[in-house]
Amino acid sequence: MSPTPRPHRGLPPPQKKPSSPITPQRLRGKAGRGPHARQAGRQSRVPGAGRRRPKPYPARPALSCAGWPGERRQMCRFTQRSSTLSVPKICNIFWRFHHASPSHLCSCSKTVSNEKYQDPFQLGRKDLKNLYEDIKKELLVSTAELKEMCDYYFDGKGKAFRPMIVVLMARACNIHHNNSREVQASQRSVAIIAEMIHTASLVHDDVIDDANSRRGKMTVNQIWGERKAVLAGDFILSAASVALARIGNTTIISVLTQVIEDLVRGEFLQLGSKENENERFAHYLEKTFKKTASLIANSCKAVSILGCPDPKVHEIAYQYGKNVGIAFQLIDDVLDFTSCADRLGKPTAADLKLGLATGPVLFACRQFPEMNAMIMRRFSKPGDVERARKYVLQSDGVQQTTYLAQRYCHEATREISKLRPSPEREALIQLTEMVLMRDK
C-alpha cells in the first residue's frame, strides 16, 4: 500500500488554486443579451437581466511579464539571465511558481507577428543538404574499422535538430543585420561542428552509462567495445576541432571550445548529488545547461557573431539557444517516464537505473518525501527504481516539469522576437512548440 502523499518538509505549503479570472467567454452564459433580453430584464426586474454585454478585456501581451504576480516576475527575470543556473535561492522560486494554477501560464504558441507558419525543417533543408556527407569528409581516415565506427551515427537518420537551429539562427541574424537570406560558409561549418560535438558526446555518454541502444540500434560500445568507442568519440571531437580552427576566427574558437568544457563539467555534475533539497534542483538545472543547452546556446551565438556585429544580437541568439536547450532536456526527462522504448529508441526509466534524479523525480519529492532517501542512495536498493517510477507517475512531477519546459520555451520565444520579422524567425518560434510536442 503506497503512503499518503504529503507536503515536502522545508517547502512552502501548497497554495489554494486561484479561481479562474472572469473573462468574456465565461460571461457568455449570463443573462442580458441584445434588446429583447434588456426589455425582458426591465419587465421582470431580474437582477442582471438588463446588463450590457461587457467589452472584451484587452488581451495580455503574449511575450511580456508585466502584470504578473511578484513570484512569476522573479521567474521571468531569472530566465533572462545569461548566467548558468547555479544560485540555490532560485529553487524556492521554482517551487512557488509551480504551485500556481497552470491556467495562468502564458502560452508560448502565441507569437508577435502575423508571419505565415513556417516548417523549420522545410525552411532549413537547403542549407542542410549533404550535411552528413560533409561530416564524413571531415572524418576521412585510413583505418577501415575506425571509419566504420565514426560513420555509424552519421547515417542521416538522426533529427539534425541542432544543425537545424543553427542554420535558421544564422539566417535570422543575417536578415536582421543586412537583409541577407544566405547562410555563410563559416556559419554552415558551425552547424556541422555542432553535430559532430554532439555525436562525440553521445558516444562517450554511452560508454559512461554502459548503454546498449541509441536511436533504435546498438551502441558503438556494444558492437566494438568500450576502449574503441572512447577512441572513436575522441577522434570525432578532434576532427570537429580541426574544422573549427579552419574557420580562422579566434572569437568563434573561444565560444565553441566553451561547449567542450561545459560537457565535461556537466558530466562531473551528473556524477555528484546534493543533500539539500533546494540545492539539488539548482544542481540539476546547472547540469542540464552544461550537458545539453550549452552546445545549442554557444552554437547560436557563434553564427550570430559571424553574421552580425551587434553584441545585443549575440545575446539574443545565446539566450534563445540556452532556453530551448534546457526545455529540450526537460521534455527528454519527461519522456523517460511517459514514452515507450520503441518510440524513444532507447530504454525507458534509464535515468533512474543510472541513479539520476531528474525534474519529474525532484518535483515528485514534494509529495513523497520518502523519495529523498532513494535519491541519496541513487536508487541502488532492490525495488528503488520501480517504487520511484510509481511515485513519479502518482505525483504531478511530469506535469510540473512540462510546465517548466513551457516557461523556458516562452522565454526563448520572447528573446527571438526581438529580431526583425522573417520566415526564419517564425520558424525558430515554431521550433519551441515542436520541442514541447515531441514524443521521441
Side-chain angles (χ1 to χ4, degrees):
M1 182 174 176
S2 60
T4 304
R6 57 186 183 276
H8 197 303
R9 294 185 185 90
L11 296 174
Q15 300 171 3
K16 186 177 180 181
K17 190 176 287 189
S19 59
S20 300
I22 300 291
T23 63
Q25 289 76 13
R26 287 184 61 194
L27 287 168
R28 280 182 186 145
K30 293 187 178 292
R33 289 284 162 83
H36 298 294
R38 287 197 293 271
Q39 184 63 30
R42 293 191 194 100
Q43 291 172 358
S44 61
R45 297 190 179 279
V46 176
R51 290 178 187 167
R52 279 186 189 174
R53 183 174 181 175
K55 294 181 180 179
Y57 291 115
R60 177 178 288 171
L63 299 171
S64 172
C65 301
W68 286 11
E71 290 165 1
R72 295 196 187 95
R73 284 200 303 271
Q74 277 183 285
M75 172 70 182
C76 193
R77 283 198 298 270
F78 170 75
T79 54
Q80 291 173 32
R81 296 173 190 168
S82 60
S83 62
T84 55
L85 313 173
S86 58
V87 183
K89 287 184 179 179
I90 59 94
C91 289
N92 286 328
I93 298 172
F94 283 120
W95 297 128
R96 294 198 300 271
F97 173 79
H98 288 291
H99 279 303
S101 167
S103 64
H104 289 267
L105 293 171
C106 293
S107 168
C108 53
S109 65
K110 297 176 183 178
T111 63
V112 293
S113 77
N114 294 321
E115 291 279 342
K116 187 179 178 182
Y117 171 85
Q118 296 290 337
D119 179 0
F121 289 90
Q122 194 70 29
L123 196 60
R125 180 175 294 178
K126 182 185 78 170
D127 298 311
L128 295 181
K129 188 178 180 181
N130 300 323
L131 173 78
Y132 291 106
E133 287 75 7
D134 291 341
I135 289 175
K136 289 176 182 178
K137 290 176 184 176
E138 298 286 348
L139 297 170
L140 283 177
V141 288
S142 55
T143 307
E145 186 179 35
L146 180 58
K147 183 180 187 308
E148 187 180 2
M149 292 170 67
C150 292
D151 291 351
Y152 187 66
Y153 285 142
F154 299 119
D155 57 2
K157 295 180 181 178
K159 295 184 289 290
F161 178 74
R162 289 154 189 83
M164 179 63 61
I165 289 182
V166 172
V167 296
L168 289 175
M169 181 62 74
R171 278 214 230 163
C173 291
N174 294 351
I175 291 169
H176 181 84
H177 175 53
N178 58 12
N179 210 29
S180 170
R181 304 189 75 88
E182 295 301 316
V183 173
Q184 301 172 23
S186 57
Q187 290 174 318
R188 189 175 183 277
S189 293
V190 171
I192 290 173
I193 292 163
E195 185 69 0
M196 293 174 74
I197 293 174
H198 170 61
T199 302
S201 73
L202 294 183
V203 174
H204 286 158
D205 277 356
D206 289 342
V207 173
I208 293 170
D209 300 339
D210 193 26
N212 53 30
S213 64
R214 167 81 64 179
R215 295 177 179 172
K217 58 185 183 180
M218 291 180 68
T219 55
V220 169
N221 50 292
Q222 290 294 318
I223 299 174
W224 287 281
E226 290 186 356
R227 292 183 180 181
K228 290 181 179 179
V230 170
L231 294 173
D234 290 345
F235 182 78
I236 295 171
L237 203 55
S238 67
S241 300
V242 172
L244 177 59
R246 201 180 299 126
I247 293 176
N249 186 312
T250 55
T251 303
I252 302 303
I253 293 172
S254 177
V255 168
L256 290 180
T257 51
Q258 180 65 47
V259 173
I260 300 172
E261 178 184 333
D262 285 343
L263 283 168
V264 175
R265 291 184 181 274
E267 196 62 52
F268 271 93
L269 285 170
Q270 183 165 286
L271 295 173
S273 185
K274 295 287 184 181
E275 290 190 25
N276 181 281
E277 293 151 22
N278 286 342
E279 288 183 3
R280 194 182 292 153
F281 206 95
H283 182 92
Y284 163 68
L285 288 172
E286 185 178 7
K287 181 268 297 182
T288 299
F289 169 78
K290 290 186 180 300
K291 282 202 66 177
T292 304
S294 174
L295 174 60
I296 301 174
N298 284 294
S299 298
C300 287
K301 182 178 180 179
V303 292
S304 73
I305 292 170
L306 291 168
C308 177
D310 188 352
K312 291 181 180 178
V313 173
H314 306 163
E315 184 65 12
I316 289 168
Y318 179 87
Q319 290 295 331
Y320 174 86
K322 181 189 81 169
N323 284 286
V324 165
I326 293 174
F328 185 93
Q329 186 58 50
L330 289 171
I331 295 299
D332 205 62
D333 294 341
V334 165
L335 292 175
D336 199 43
F337 289 94
T338 61
S339 190
C340 62
D342 290 341
R343 293 293 297 168
L344 281 179
K346 56 185 178 181
T348 55
D351 292 328
L352 287 175
K353 292 170 186 173
L354 292 170
L356 305 179
T358 56
V361 174
L362 297 177
F363 278 120
C365 277
R366 297 179 306 155
Q367 295 166 271
F368 298 100
E370 52 270 41
M371 291 182 70
N372 283 297
M374 288 189 275
I375 291 172
M376 291 312 299
R377 62 176 178 257
R378 299 180 75 88
F379 311 103
S380 57
K381 284 189 176 181
D384 275 359
V385 170
E386 292 75 17
R387 279 203 301 153
R389 181 176 171 81
K390 180 181 176 183
Y391 288 152
V392 168
L393 296 177
Q394 287 178 351
S395 74
D396 63 356
V398 165
Q399 294 90 332
Q400 298 289 17
T401 307
T402 303
Y403 295 156
L404 184 55
Q406 289 173 347
R407 287 298 317 129
Y408 280 107
C409 282
H410 172 86
E411 185 61 22
T413 298
R414 193 189 71 82
E415 287 291 338
I416 199 64
S417 297
K418 295 175 184 177
L419 295 183
R420 181 186 296 180
S422 67
E424 286 74 15
R425 190 193 76 166
E426 299 310 309
L428 288 168
I429 292 174
Q430 293 297 332
L431 269 175
T432 66
E433 297 185 14
M434 293 171 68
V435 165
L436 294 173
M437 298 300 293
R438 72 190 184 96
D439 59 357
K440 63 178 180 177

